[in-house]
């Protein structure tokens, strides 16, 4: 067990390198299953989730190497198309292997992901989509068993533009016979990267980056080399911290991916200067209370909702933060209140009444983004904050305490086994 100990109320200053995006690399790793031969992925963030995915690919029988943010995946042979419970349970994105396995091998057994810290997260769109492509789906002993001789293209409409279902179905459809049209598809930058990677492998995909994607199946795909896009959620986390705490330059970002959060931190009163791929944020003298409603891309990301609430907890005035993607993603709220924040949850909204200051305390993180929000709060709080159960943060942020320490934060990791 580890915890982060933060002495708050220090200004941040300097530069921070943004890592490759977790949510982009995971589907790209799954897409490597679609081709025999060696896929090379650069700028792979060294995270618990990328290691879990690597382990899963290894369990399937794939050869995999991962050093210094570079990964090689050789999926020439797959021995066992089975994603076991203990890995899927650790990371829902393991479900991404379902589409590629059925498409290339005609069979997959993938444990059904359960709920998570912010409520039920079903996979019905993934399964209905695969059935539309002709797969036979059964549930046995908590496992999804999907089988198909050859998938056949079809028209699929999602009730909601799910990121995971869009990625999974695209990966299934690229090797299907004929045309698949996905309506109400997700157009997140991570899905765009997946599509572009698949096109580089020989896939035929139209409408990339729109809500209507058309895929013309091909017989075979070929391995390629790809560099992962910068993580817009990690970047957004540093932008939000900078809006309260100093002058930070984020290096190697794609500013266009961050327009919703940049717009909001300017309303808060922070200064933002964009210079090609770098973004400098200078803290607001007075933090204005600004409402946020999460939405699909290009809207304000649900993965930045918790961090936004942390910032709003010390704003002048009250704000309402509404999550339209996940109705129940507020486990950070009681922890922020332990620091003296004044936040109540009503339905899928948090009502944040800004307080003059928050004071360090012991808190506990419950998921990746909740951890990030507690770190930001700890950095803003007077005194010492201990963030416990910090293993969650390592799922999605590469060495976050080192990055904040380089900016002048007083933050260190303590192993409780010491
Ligand atoms: C991805 C991201 C996650 C982010 C989320 C929303 C990855 C690895 N994870 O998760 O960080 O918070 O997008 O931007 O990329 N839904 C269903 N049935 C389904 C699938 C989804 O009802 O079969 C619902 C979900 O419960 C949720 C909404 O659709 O309310 C969006 O979920 P989705 O876009 O699928 O999120 P993930 O792909 O799981």
């Amino acid at each position: 067990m580890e915890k982060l100990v933060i002495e708050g109320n220090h200004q941040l200053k300097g530069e921070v390198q943004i890592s490759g995006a977790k949510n982009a690399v995971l589907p790209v790793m799954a897409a490597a299953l679609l081709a025999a031969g060696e896929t090379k992925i650069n700028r792979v963030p060294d995270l618990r989730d990328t290691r879990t995915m690597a382990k899963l690919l290894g369990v399937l029988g794939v050869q995999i190497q991962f050093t210094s943010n570079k990964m090689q995946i050789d999926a020439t042979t797959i021995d066992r198309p089975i994603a076991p419970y203990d890995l899927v349970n650790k990371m829902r994105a393991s479900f991404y292997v379902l589409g590629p396995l059925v498409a290339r091998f005609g069979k997959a057994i993938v444990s059904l992901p359960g709920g998570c810290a912010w409520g039920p997260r079903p996979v019905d769109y993934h399964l209905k989509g695969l059935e539309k492509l002709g797969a036979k789906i059964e549930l046995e002993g908590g496992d999804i068993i999907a089988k198909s001789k050859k998938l056949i293209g079809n028209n699929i409409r999602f009730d909601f533009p799910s990121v995971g279902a869009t990625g999974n179905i695209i990966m299934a459809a690229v090797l299907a016979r004929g045309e698949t049209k996905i309506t109400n598809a997700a157009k997140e930058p991570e899905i765009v990267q997946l599509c572009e990677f698949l096109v580089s492998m020989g896939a035929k995909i139209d409408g990339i980056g729109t809500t209507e994607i058309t895929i013309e199946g091909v017989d075979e795909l070929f391995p390629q080399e790809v560099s992962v896009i910068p993580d817009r959620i990690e970047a957004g986390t540093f932008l939000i911290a900078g809006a309260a705490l100093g002058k930070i330059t984020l290096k190697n970002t794609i500013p266009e991916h961050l327009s919703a959060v940049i717009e909001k931190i300017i309303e808060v009163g922070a200064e933002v200067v964009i210079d090609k791929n770098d973004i400098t944020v200078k803290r607001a003298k007075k933090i204005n209370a600004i409402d946020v409603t999460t939405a699909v891309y290009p809207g304000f990301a649900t993965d930045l909702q918790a961090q936004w609430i942390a910032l709003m907890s010390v704003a002048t005035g009250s704000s309402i933060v509404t999550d339209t993607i996940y109705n129940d993603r507020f486990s950070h709220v009681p922890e922020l209140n332990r620091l003296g924040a004044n936040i109540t949850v009503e339905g899928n909204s948090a009502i944040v009444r800004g307080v003059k200051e928050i004071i360090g305390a012991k808190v506990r993180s419950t998921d990746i983004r909740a951890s990030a929000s507690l770190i930001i709060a700890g950095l803003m709080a007077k005194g010492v904050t201990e963030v416990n159960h910090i293993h969650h943060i390592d799922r999605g942020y590469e060495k976050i305490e080192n990055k904040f320490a380089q900016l002048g934060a007083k933050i260190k990791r303590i192993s409780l086994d010491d």
Side-chain angles (χ1 to χ4, degrees), residues 39 95 120 145 155 218 250 269-270 294 307 310 313 329 351 358 367:
T39 293
F95 213 65
I145 303 176
N155 292 338
V218 295
L250 283 62
T294 67
Q307 300 88 317
S313 69
R329 192 181 192 179
I351 294 85
I358 50 177
D367 68 59

Side-chain angles (χ1 to χ4, degrees), residues 22-24 26-27 92-93 96 118 120-127 160-165 186 188 190 232 301-303 324-327 329 369:
K22 167 180 93 74
N23 288 351
L26 295 173
R92 289 174 52 84
Y96 269 132
W118 66 85
R121 288 174 74 187
V123 286
D124 50 330
Y125 304 160
H126 304 237
L127 300 180
F160 185 90
S162 155
V163 174
E188 268 61 10
E190 295 75 21
R232 63 194 170 99
T302 172
D303 286 350
T324 66
I325 312 292
Y326 295 108
N327 293 330
R329 192 181 192 179
R369 310 304 170 189

Side-chain angles (χ1 to χ4, degrees), residues 381-410:
K382 259 197 178 158
V384 175
T385 297
E386 272 185 21
V387 187
N388 290 284
H389 291 222
I390 202 62
H391 53 279
H392 294 288
I393 198 88
D394 300 325
R395 287 192 48 198
Y397 289 84
E398 197 174 33
K399 303 182 190 83
I400 194 169
E401 73 274 22
N402 294 357
K403 290 191 180 185
F404 272 120
Q406 271 167 22
L407 296 171
K410 305 266 180 278

